[in-house]
Amino acid sequence: MHSGIVNPIDFSREGRQAGQLAIPYSVDRSPYYQIRIPVLHLRNGEGPSLLLMAGNHGDEYEGELQLGRLMRLLDVTEISGAVTILPMANLPAVMAAKRCSPFDGGNLNRAFPGDPLGSPTARMAHFLEGELFPRHDVVLDLHSGGTSMAHLPCALIERQADAARFERSVSLMRALGASYAFIADNGPAAPTSMGAAARAGTIGLSGEFGGGGTVTPETMTFTAAAIDRLLLTLGIVRRSVLSLGPLPQPGPLQLLSLSRHSQGIYASRRGWFEPAIALGATVAAGDRAGWYHDLERLEQSEEELRFAESGIVISHRLHCDSQAGDCLIQVAEPIAS
């Protein structure tokens, strides 16, 4: 079934096409309102096709900013094949500076395969999985820790039953140049973009490229280099587009596993979190992870938090004020490459 999204792009046409995907959505202020999502498609002759996507979560900015820049810099005459750029896939969330859409509360990365008759988030998920992903050989969905989390930069792919496609996914994941990576095993029904890419028969790449609801020179440099490396590895371009200097050769890649509740420390009540360890640190079970303060009971000493498992600190909460259920800090287990 068609998603009902108005798509101005003719994917078979040569040249540069810039437009806006439109999702009709009636609101109080405007009964014929459209959510208009910028998209750029470049095609020049034969070659691989790549979809570059960000803004799946609205408060993850490295991908949004770098893909916006790429839309301005990438010249169709300098590519071989096709590139589609979608810098703000969940536009309402981006404009609201939130993880999820303010229109329907939708988390796009938990909405696949979507619903053509559903809310805007469900319709966008249906369009991506059913219409956009299958038109591309490779999909790169750029994420970060968002407003509330600091995250160690890393790459991610979903394990696939198709051995050849999985092997190619691993090769392209290594080409991104991250020092750490995850191979997720969420199964064929995963509601994520990577699950959707697998169902669509395309290679899906993702990862965490920063965090904190901000960008830094380091995270922007890492994101630019990853995009350039993928374009170069696929043979779509012959020179770096976003990176200001020469690209260093990727170093060793450490695979990580994050599969157990016990690898994280979660708040059991309202409190104020103070981390004691930096991202990327290697810790042992029993090591101090931080402290949990209670500003409503100042007569009580802060609670000391300790890791239940050993591993590499992959993320921690940035918002000091925390509620029951919030993940405060996580470790990932190194596994053989």
Side-chain angles (χ1 to χ4, degrees):
M1 182 183 292
H2 193 274
S3 65
I5 292 179
V6 180
N7 173 24
I9 302 299
D10 178 355
F11 290 97
S12 65
R13 201 179 93 192
E14 296 280 315
R16 177 187 178 93
Q17 298 176 74
Q20 295 176 323
L21 304 172
I23 306 176
Y25 187 61
S26 181
V27 297
D28 289 339
R29 189 194 71 255
S30 182
Y32 301 110
Y33 178 68
Q34 292 182 337
I35 301 169
R36 300 176 70 82
I37 302 170
V39 61
L40 175 69
H41 181 70
L42 307 173
R43 176 174 287 279
N44 186 25
E46 297 299 318
S49 55
L50 170 65
L51 170 61
L52 295 166
M53 168 180 153
N56 189 328
H57 294 132
D59 61 348
E60 301 176 0
Y61 297 109
E62 288 83 1
E64 296 165 18
L65 298 184
Q66 289 292 24
L67 291 189
R69 178 175 285 144
L70 188 66
M71 292 173 79
R72 299 187 292 273
L73 294 179
L74 191 58
D75 191 323
V76 69
T77 63
E78 295 184 339
I79 73 169
S80 298
V83 179
T84 303
I85 304 175
L86 191 68
M88 295 179 285
N90 192 346
L91 180 83
V94 174
M95 292 303 163
K98 294 182 178 294
R99 180 176 178 84
C100 301
S101 171
F103 285 134
D104 55 16
N107 179 343
L108 180 56
N109 209 39
R110 302 294 184 272
F112 295 94
D115 181 353
L117 302 178
S119 69
T121 303
R123 291 169 71 182
M124 187 62 181
H126 185 270
F127 172 77
L128 289 169
E129 181 167 339
E131 299 183 46
L132 200 56
F133 286 5
R135 297 180 182 274
H136 298 84
D137 301 315
V138 179
V139 172
L140 173 61
D141 183 14
L142 296 150
H143 284 261
S144 79
T147 303
S148 68
M149 298 295 288
H151 207 293
L152 195 67
C154 62
L156 180 144
I157 59 173
E158 185 76 33
R159 191 175 299 280
Q160 298 187 34
D162 186 306
R165 188 183 301 138
F166 179 65
E167 184 177 347
R168 179 61 168 157
S169 300
V170 172
S171 175
L172 291 176
M173 178 179 69
R174 292 182 181 278
L176 294 176
S179 298
Y180 301 94
F182 290 91
I183 298 177
D185 203 359
N186 294 315
T192 63
S193 63
M194 294 298 93
R199 290 188 294 271
T202 190
I203 291 173
L205 307 171
S206 188
E208 306 290 347
F209 289 79
T214 187
V215 298
T216 67
E218 293 76 17
T219 62
M220 291 295 279
T221 297
F222 171 60
T223 306
I227 295 168
D228 278 339
R229 284 194 176 101
L230 183 58
L231 287 165
L232 287 162
T233 300
L234 292 173
I236 292 175
V237 300
R238 296 185 179 182
R239 64 172 184 87
S240 297
V241 182
L242 292 171
S243 301
L244 298 179
L247 292 174
Q249 288 298 313
L253 180 66
Q254 174 63 66
L255 294 181
L256 302 171
S257 172
L258 186 62
S259 59
R260 298 180 296 279
H261 176 85
S262 55
Q263 290 174 286
I265 298 175
Y266 294 82
S268 60
R269 55 184 169 80
R270 198 237 178 126
W272 286 260
F273 174 56
E274 176 190 357
I277 202 79
L279 289 179
T282 299
V283 299
D287 284 354
R288 182 188 293 117
W291 299 269
Y292 206 51
H293 299 260
D294 192 338
L295 296 182
E296 296 176 318
R297 296 174 178 83
L298 292 177
E299 71 281 3
Q300 295 186 3
S301 298
E302 64 272 23
E303 178 187 356
E304 190 173 62
L305 304 174
R306 293 188 177 273
F307 292 106
E309 296 203 28
S310 60
I312 294 172
V313 178
I314 189 70
S315 67
H316 70 75
R317 182 169 172 80
L318 287 171
H319 291 175
C320 187
D321 188 357
S322 304
Q323 301 287 339
D326 286 337
C327 181
L328 303 178
I329 195 165
Q330 287 182 309
V331 296
E333 178 187 10
I335 58 176
S337 299

